[in-house]
């Protein structure tokens, strides 16, 4: 188990290096001068200033040198300096990552609560009116793009009703709409997933055996049915949480949520490469770690799964 | 930060979906500013996008200038209609050769930390910007001051042209005559700074600048979050009435949408609007007196390449202009909310504005266009390049221009969209031909700030490879025009100078050195129910220092 974790963490290094390298190469071949984007006026900038900025950020070096410098700093926990504010990327992304984590956690909690309970109830009352309407509503929810959902929520609850603030502040109120927007689609997916795995498990021989040997209904449900049905759900939630932490670009943009999704899209528009690479590096790392956590959880839930 | 850019891979679709452009216009006159003596107090709330800087050393776009301009007061100020009025300067004197300026500074005013605002504080501020290490994007405004080059080259730390004969006298020696130098001091880069400012890279100061303006910072700049200004009660000129200005920093992707929604929700007192929402917003808010429209100093043109290619002949350029139906585009694309431009200089410069100077701009005339094209040898089937920047809302009208010109003249217009930086590079290339989408806004209210950089021969400034390094990307060159500008620059009296500028503009217009399209009409929503005296200033920002409670 210990060796497994070490090996997986080793993989993390390889994946992060690979991802940043591909990204570096992409950014390098794409047109557009990052320095030219810092000030977006209609006027040309002084060539001397541009040359100086190029030198300052090492933009005249060949790709491999730039990448080497980046990795050299990365291992020391330094993500470089951003082009527009001349501040360390880690200092810029730190609070944003915390904001995104807050939002992602709220969303994932909603996913679990809503998704699993709807799914489980639907499976236990299969073909009841409850099950049919749950299937209908979740299918509908999956089909609605989050951009539409977010904008509708904003229009109704912020502008028309005035229940929530338009611009996110530190209050609890400001997290509600973005978290719900993020959660609805995922929760619907989780509900459908939970329902189908649960139905599968309900029909399994070991459940029939457990019932036959006279175990209390409650024990059958928690020990045998639930425990086995949540495994695929956990896989899904793990990946989904990783995605959320990587920045929910659309939702953060709609709600002006100051997280890394928003930082990413702005950085892309400004050719602010250090921030783009920084966000991707963080996202990849988060993803790999979460995958590991999911795999470890697997083992804990199902002793038949051996990690080696 | 409003230019187009190379929106990349993943973001492309989302950006397009969310992009909200900040332009628009209207030709209806409606004033929405309240009248009557306003009261002091109140918090004015608005949204902007993240500024580049809020400190004078690098403040540059209207968002950054909004903050800097309210934190600092310099020698002169621009009015919304392009005039220049004294701020801290009590008098100005220029030597007969136009090279030495002496300003008297109002005595007894202070920075918000109590330090005196004297001639030294101006010298300190200007030298701070000029330092090579500052790498300021706006330092070039100081380039006319003697010794600037040495400071930029790192050979000196202070400009030799600046001196303070006494505490309230600032003497500026220029390296070349400039009878309009005082006009340039309206730019925030010419602000005074206190001793605590330190050098230009002093982040502590730059995040919470201490100034001498009508407002002061409350706390420091919360990046991507907010900036709060409060009234500076020790301000040396007319004190502001608002207690507080709360500036939310919105993300640039849908900032304009958020501003508009914020106004609708009552979160903001001032807002821009996404173009598609303009008709609905106007219908709703104009009736309530909350709609502001102003022709500002920004101008939109087609930039013809005049030294090479199919538009070398001025008749060819005139033919293009006659072929374009500006009214149809304004109606169809801009939903009636732009105003047609018939000049090179903006209508906001009321003292030099010569309406309808461009005859071919007034009304489309296909017959005349065909005739002129024939005379210029612009034959059907010729290909004309038309470059524009993508992602900034230009696609639609560019297509309209392309279709109109193709239909009327039988030529082929090859419209190519590129990221903004590439478009600028394209214009500079040796051998560039055809025309480009082009816009210009003034840094200070003088016709010179349009005519010299855009049209003077010296502003072509080709380097050894033939690349144009100046802002005269059309390579327009006419000795008579240059002579008029030089004469204007050497003319001390404003009236005489303006007359020469008008003559120069007419000459360039007769040559069709630029093809005017539309004036930049800016539209805003303003909470006139709660506040009085809200107007748009020279920088297209609200005039915070004058707003009062109703």
């Amino acid at each position: 188990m210990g060796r497994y974790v070490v090996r997986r963490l080793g993989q993390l290094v390889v994946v992060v290096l690979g991802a940043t390298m591909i990204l570096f190469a992409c950014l390098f071949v794409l047109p557009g001068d990052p320095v030219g984007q810092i000030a977006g006026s209609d006027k040309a900038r002084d060539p001397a200033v541009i040359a100086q900025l190029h030198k300052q950020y090492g933009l005249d070096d060949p790709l491999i040198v730039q990448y080497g410098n980046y990795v050299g700093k990365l291992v020391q926990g330094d993500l470089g300096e951003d082009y527009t504010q001349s501040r360390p990327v880690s200092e810029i992304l730190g609070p944003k990552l915390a904001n995104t984590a807050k939002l992602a956690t709220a969303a994932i909690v909603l996913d679990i609560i809503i998704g699993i309970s709807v799914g489980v109830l639907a499976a236990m009352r299969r073909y009841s009116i409850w099950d049919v309407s749950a299937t209908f509503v979740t299918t509908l929810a999956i089909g609605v793009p989050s951009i539409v959902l977010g904008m509708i929520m904003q229009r109704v609850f912020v502008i028309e009703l005035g229940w929530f603030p338009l611009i996110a502040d530190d209050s609890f109120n400001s997290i509600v709409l973005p978290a719900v927007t993020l959660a609805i689609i995922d929760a619907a997916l989780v509900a459908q997933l939970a329902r189908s795995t649960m139905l599968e498990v309900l029909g399994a021989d070991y459940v029939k055996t457990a019932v036959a040997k006279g175990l209390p209904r409650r024990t059958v449900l928690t020990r045998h049915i639930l425990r086995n049905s949540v495994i695929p759900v956990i896989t899904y939630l793990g990946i989904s949480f990783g995605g959320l932490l990587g920045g929910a670009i659309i939702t953060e943009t709609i709600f002006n949520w100051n997280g890394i999704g928003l930082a990413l899209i702005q950085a892309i528009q400004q050719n602010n490469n250090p921030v783009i690479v920084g966000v991707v590096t963080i996202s990849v790392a988060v993803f790999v770690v979460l995958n590991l956590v999911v795999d470890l959880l697997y083992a804990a839930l199902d002793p038949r799964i051996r990690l080696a | 930060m409003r230019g187009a850019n190379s929106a990349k891979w993943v973001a492309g679709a989302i950006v397009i979906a969310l992009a909200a452009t900040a332009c628009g216009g209207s030709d209806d006159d409606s004033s929405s500013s309240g009248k009557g003596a306003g009261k002091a107090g109140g918090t004015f709330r608005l949204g902007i996008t993240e500024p580049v800087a809020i400190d004078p050393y690098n403040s540059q776009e209207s968002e950054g200038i909004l903050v800097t301009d309210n934190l600092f007061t310099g020698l002169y100020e621009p009015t919304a209609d392009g005039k220049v009025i004294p701020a801290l300067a009590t008098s100005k004197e220029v030597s007969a050769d136009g090279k030495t300026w002496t300003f008297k500074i109002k005595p007894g005013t202070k920075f918000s930390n109590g330090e005196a605002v004297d001639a030294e504080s101006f010298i300190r501020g200007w030298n701070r910007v000029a330092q090579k290490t500052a790498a300021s994007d706006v330092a070039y405004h100081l380039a006319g001051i003697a010794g600037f080059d040495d400071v930029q080259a790192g050979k000196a730390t202070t400009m030799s042209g600046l001196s303070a004969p006494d505490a309230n006298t600032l003497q500026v020696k220029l390296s070349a005559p400039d009878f309009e130098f005082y006009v340039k001091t309206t730019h925030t880069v010419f602000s005074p700074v206190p001793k605590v400012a330190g050098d230009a890279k002093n982040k502590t100061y730059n995040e919470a600048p201490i100034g001498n303006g009508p407002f002061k910072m409350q706390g420091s700049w919360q990046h991507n979050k907010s900036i709060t200004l409060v009234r500076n009660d020790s301000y040396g000129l007319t004190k502001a009435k608002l207690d507080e200005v709360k500036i939310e920093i919105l993300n640039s992707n849908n900032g304009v949408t958020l501003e508009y929604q914020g106004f609708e929700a009552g979160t903001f007192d001032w807002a821009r609007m996404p173009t598609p929402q303009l008709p609905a917003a106007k219908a709703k808010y104009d009736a309530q007196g909350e709609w502001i429209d102003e022709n500002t100093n920004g101008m939109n043109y087609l930039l013809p390449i005049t030294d090479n290619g199919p538009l070398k002949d001025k008749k060819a350029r005139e033919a293009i202009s006659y072929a374009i139906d500006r009214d149809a585009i304004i109606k169809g694309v801009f939903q009636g909310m732009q105003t047609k431009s018939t000049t090179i200089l903006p209508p906001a410069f009321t003292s030099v504005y010569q309406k309808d100077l461009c005859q071919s701009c007034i009304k489309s005339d296909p017959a005349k266009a065909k005739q002129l094209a024939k005379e210029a040898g612009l034959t059907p089937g010729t290909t004309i390049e038309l470059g524009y920047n993508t992602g900034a809302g230009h696609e639609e009208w560019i297509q309209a221009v392309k279709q109109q010109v193709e239909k009327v003249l039988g030529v082929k217009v090859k419209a190519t969209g590129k990221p903004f930086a590439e478009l600028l590079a394209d214009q500079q290339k040796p051998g560039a031909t055809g025309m480009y989408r082009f816009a210009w806004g003034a840094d200070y209210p003088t016709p010179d700030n349009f005519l010299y950089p855009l049209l003077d021969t010296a502003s072509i400034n080709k380097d050894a490879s033939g690349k144009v390094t100046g802002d005269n990307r059309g390579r327009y060159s006419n000795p008579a025009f240059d002579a008029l500008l030089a004469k204007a620059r050497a003319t001390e009296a404003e009236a005489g100078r303006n007359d020469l500028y008008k003559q120069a503009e007419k000459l360039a217009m007769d040559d069709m050195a630029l093809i005017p399209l539309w004036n930049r009409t800016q539209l805003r929503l303003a909470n006139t129910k709660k506040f009085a005296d809200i107007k748009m200033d020279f920088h297209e920002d609200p005039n915070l220092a004058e707003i009062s409670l109703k």
Side-chain angles (χ1 to χ4, degrees):
Chain A
M1 180 85 161
R3 273 180 60 194
Y4 173 79
V5 173
V6 170
R7 209 176 65 216
R8 285 291 297 267
L9 289 175
Q11 268 177 16
L12 181 142
V13 175
V14 177
V15 173
V16 169
L17 282 181
T20 51
M21 188 137 78
I22 292 167
L23 193 64
F24 241 85
C26 288
L27 294 174
F28 206 82
V29 296
L30 281 169
D33 179 359
V35 164
Q37 299 284 341
I38 295 176
S41 74
D42 267 3
K43 294 172 191 180
R45 287 156 57 93
D46 185 348
V49 173
I50 290 185
Q52 192 186 333
L53 288 167
H54 272 216
K55 208 171 149 220
Q56 186 182 334
Y57 292 113
L59 293 171
D60 296 327
D61 296 334
L63 169 64
I64 192 75
V65 175
Q66 289 192 39
Y67 182 65
N69 288 341
Y70 182 77
V71 173
K73 284 186 186 158
L74 185 63
V75 293
Q76 299 165 45
D78 180 357
L79 290 167
E81 196 181 72
D82 112 300
Y83 293 154
T84 58
Q85 299 169 21
S86 305
R87 288 163 64 213
V89 171
S90 51
E91 185 187 307
I92 294 173
L93 291 183
K96 291 179 195 291
L97 186 63
N99 270 341
T100 295
K102 224 196 280 179
L103 185 58
T105 309
I108 216 80
V109 168
L110 285 174
D111 279 352
I112 295 170
I113 298 173
I114 301 170
I116 295 186
S117 46
V118 169
V120 166
L121 286 175
M124 287 173 68
R125 305 203 178 127
R126 199 178 181 186
Y127 303 137
S128 69
I129 179 74
W130 164 258
D131 181 28
V132 172
S133 36
T135 307
F136 177 75
V137 172
T138 52
T139 309
L140 193 70
I142 293 166
V144 180
S146 59
I147 184 166
V148 175
L149 197 62
M151 289 173 92
I152 291 174
M153 298 241 262
Q154 194 170 48
R155 167 60 53 186
V156 174
F157 295 107
V158 176
I159 295 161
E160 304 298 339
L161 297 172
W163 290 355
F164 299 98
L166 177 73
I167 307 301
D169 48 32
D170 296 326
S171 69
F172 173 76
N173 263 355
S174 55
I175 202 171
V176 175
L177 292 184
V180 170
T181 304
L182 272 183
I184 283 181
I185 295 170
D186 264 349
L189 279 164
V190 167
Q192 295 200 343
L193 193 62
R195 177 182 178 272
S196 62
T197 52
M198 178 109 173
L199 287 176
E200 225 172 85
V201 173
L202 279 172
D205 289 342
Y206 61 84
V207 174
K208 288 178 189 149
T209 313
V211 175
K213 72 183 181 189
L215 280 179
R217 191 182 146 82
R218 194 193 167 114
T219 315
V220 177
L221 188 65
T222 51
R223 290 250 180 93
H224 298 275
I225 302 174
L226 275 183
R227 189 161 168 167
N228 285 302
S229 344
V230 291
I231 292 177
V233 175
I234 283 179
T235 317
Y236 176 76
L237 283 172
I239 294 166
S240 168
F241 192 48
L244 292 176
L245 279 176
I249 296 179
I250 294 174
T251 308
E252 290 191 357
T253 304
I254 295 174
F255 293 99
N256 206 53
W257 188 266
N258 195 4
I260 61 172
L262 195 51
L264 177 64
I265 198 165
Q266 285 182 347
I268 288 170
Q269 289 189 314
Q270 296 167 353
N271 279 18
N272 200 343
N273 297 350
V275 173
I276 302 176
V277 182
V279 172
V280 172
T281 306
I282 292 173
S283 309
V284 170
V286 165
F287 230 94
V288 176
V289 169
L290 274 175
N291 261 321
L292 174 60
V293 172
V294 167
D295 287 350
L296 295 179
L297 267 179
Y298 255 31
L301 285 168
D302 187 348
R304 285 174 306 175
I305 297 171
R306 291 272 166 269
L307 300 175
Chain B
M1 299 279 121
R2 269 166 277 162
N5 33 50
S6 48
K8 289 174 189 163
W9 35 287
V10 286
I14 303 158
V15 175
I16 291 163
L18 296 176
T21 49
C23 59
S26 166
D27 40 15
D28 286 319
D29 272 328
S30 71
S31 165
S32 46
S33 59
K35 291 269 186 312
K39 292 183 300 221
T43 296
F44 193 81
R45 303 151 307 160
L46 74 160
I48 62 172
T49 49
E50 176 86 348
V52 175
I54 58 169
D55 169 273
Y57 104 85
N58 206 22
S59 178
Q60 45 191 274
E61 13 58 287
S62 71
E63 288 80 8
I65 297 229
L66 165 76
V67 181
T68 316
D69 198 36
N70 282 291
L71 293 176
F72 292 87
T73 295
L75 297 171
Y76 287 85
E77 273 174 9
T79 62
D81 57 356
K83 294 189 177 63
V84 176
I85 55 167
L88 282 185
T90 54
S91 72
K92 61 175 193 295
E93 218 183 278
V94 57
S95 62
D97 65 355
K99 285 172 84 165
T100 306
W101 282 81
T102 309
F103 298 99
K104 289 283 180 194
I105 296 161
K106 183 178 161 70
T109 70
K110 289 183 163 45
F111 288 99
S112 58
N113 65 353
E115 222 178 280
V117 179
D118 52 16
E120 280 301 335
S121 58
F122 278 92
I123 294 176
R124 191 183 303 125
W126 300 7
N127 279 328
R128 182 176 190 255
V129 179
Q131 300 305 324
K132 186 187 178 193
T133 49
S136 164
D137 298 320
V138 283
Y140 68 89
H141 293 297
L142 301 151
I145 300 171
F148 175 80
D149 293 343
D150 284 345
V151 177
Q152 279 280 291
K155 285 191 238 161
T157 51
T158 54
M159 287 182 276
S160 58
L162 299 178
S163 61
D166 63 61
N168 296 309
T169 307
L170 173 66
Q171 199 170 68
V172 186
K173 287 204 165 66
L174 305 175
S175 43
D178 183 357
F179 285 104
E180 280 193 331
F181 177 75
Y182 79 102
V183 174
K184 300 195 166 92
T185 70
T186 56
H187 196 281
T188 54
V189 78
F190 289 91
S191 301
V193 299
K195 292 194 187 93
V196 290
D199 75 21
K201 292 288 180 190
N202 177 2
K203 275 187 193 159
T204 322
Y205 181 79
N206 296 349
E207 304 282 292
I210 292 163
N212 65 328
F215 290 90
K216 56 184 181 181
M217 293 287 288
Q218 185 180 67
S220 59
W221 175 4
Q222 307 289 306
H223 287 278
N224 290 302
K225 199 160 179 238
S226 65
I227 292 170
T228 306
L229 307 178
V230 290
R231 182 173 54 235
N232 176 8
D233 284 316
S234 59
Y235 185 48
L237 302 173
T238 311
K239 290 182 183 46
K241 288 186 170 154
L242 292 170
D243 283 340
E244 191 185 46
V245 179
K246 179 98 182 135
I247 303 166
E248 299 284 353
I249 301 178
L250 311 172
N251 76 76
S252 54
N253 298 301
N254 62 337
V256 177
T257 305
L258 284 167
E259 278 183 48
Y260 178 50
Q261 291 179 335
F263 191 86
E264 287 186 286
T267 308
F268 294 139
D269 302 307
W270 175 268
R272 295 180 292 170
M273 292 149 277
T275 309
Q277 312 277 4
L278 286 171
K282 184 171 164 67
K284 184 169 173 194
Y285 293 107
D286 201 3
Q288 302 175 25
E290 299 195 298
W291 176 268
I292 291 182
D293 60 17
E294 292 285 346
N295 274 326
T296 57
N297 66 69
M299 299 291 277
N300 294 287
Y301 316 96
L302 283 177
L303 171 83
I305 304 297
T306 62
D307 70 340
N308 192 17
L311 302 185
K312 195 174 170 193
D313 191 318
K314 76 174 180 191
K315 284 182 180 164
R317 307 194 285 267
E318 214 177 342
I320 299 278
S321 183
Y322 270 121
I324 299 171
D325 188 345
R326 293 168 180 77
D327 294 316
I329 296 177
I330 288 170
K331 189 163 172 254
V333 179
F334 297 113
Q335 317 200 32
M337 300 209 192
Q338 284 280 19
T339 45
K340 184 166 58 186
S341 165
T342 55
T343 53
I344 292 173
L345 294 171
F349 291 0
T350 46
S351 44
V352 289
Y353 186 55
Q354 309 183 78
K355 192 175 175 4
D356 293 346
L357 194 59
C358 170
Q359 287 296 315
S360 56
C361 298
I362 302 170
K363 199 175 180 310
S364 161
D365 190 336
K368 225 170 192 168
K370 281 193 192 102
Q371 177 62 30
L372 284 161
K374 202 173 157 198
E375 287 171 28
L378 187 62
T379 50
T382 314
T383 299
I384 303 174
E385 303 280 339
L386 170 56
Y388 67 99
N389 51 310
T390 50
H394 300 305
E395 286 79 359
E396 268 193 77
W397 70 258
I398 285 282
Q399 285 308 317
V401 164
K402 171 186 152 78
Q403 283 169 14
Q404 289 174 350
V405 173
E406 284 185 340
K407 192 174 155 215
V408 172
L409 300 180
V411 294
K412 171 151 179 42
V413 175
K414 196 174 152 219
T416 314
K418 293 197 168 169
F420 193 45
E422 277 181 70
L423 181 80
L424 293 176
D426 263 17
Q427 296 167 356
Q428 295 177 294
K429 273 184 198 146
T433 66
M435 52 193 178
Y436 292 90
R437 177 252 145 196
F438 194 69
W440 193 258
D443 288 302
Y444 6 80
T446 158
D448 191 87
N449 198 222
F450 273 81
L451 300 177
Y452 186 81
L454 301 186
L455 299 168
D456 194 278
T457 307
S459 303
I460 303 174
N461 201 19
K462 284 186 186 168
D463 68 7
S465 70
K467 186 177 136 186
V468 172
T469 63
D471 284 320
N472 183 352
R473 301 290 169 82
R475 289 91 160 153
Y476 173 68
S477 178
N478 182 341
F481 176 88
D482 298 345
L484 280 169
L485 268 200
K487 206 169 155 197
R489 286 186 150 195
T491 302
E492 191 176 351
E494 197 177 339
R497 200 164 55 220
N498 281 344
D499 189 49
L500 288 160
Y501 283 138
K502 282 188 190 173
Q503 291 178 36
E505 186 196 13
K506 178 160 189 334
L507 201 59
M509 199 70 264
D510 289 345
D511 286 341
M512 287 309 283
L514 287 166
I515 303 174
L517 291 176
W518 21 88
N519 305 323
R520 184 147 91 192
T521 305
Q522 289 285 7
L523 305 166
R524 297 289 184 276
L525 296 174
N527 184 353
T528 51
K529 292 195 178 83
K530 190 172 171 196
F531 298 99
D533 308 314
I534 311 185
K535 292 198 182 78
M536 202 183 309
D537 69 12
F538 186 72
H539 309 292
E540 304 171 351
D541 290 320
N543 57 334
L544 299 175
E546 289 152 39
I547 295 172
S548 58
L549 264 187
K550 262 193 170 162

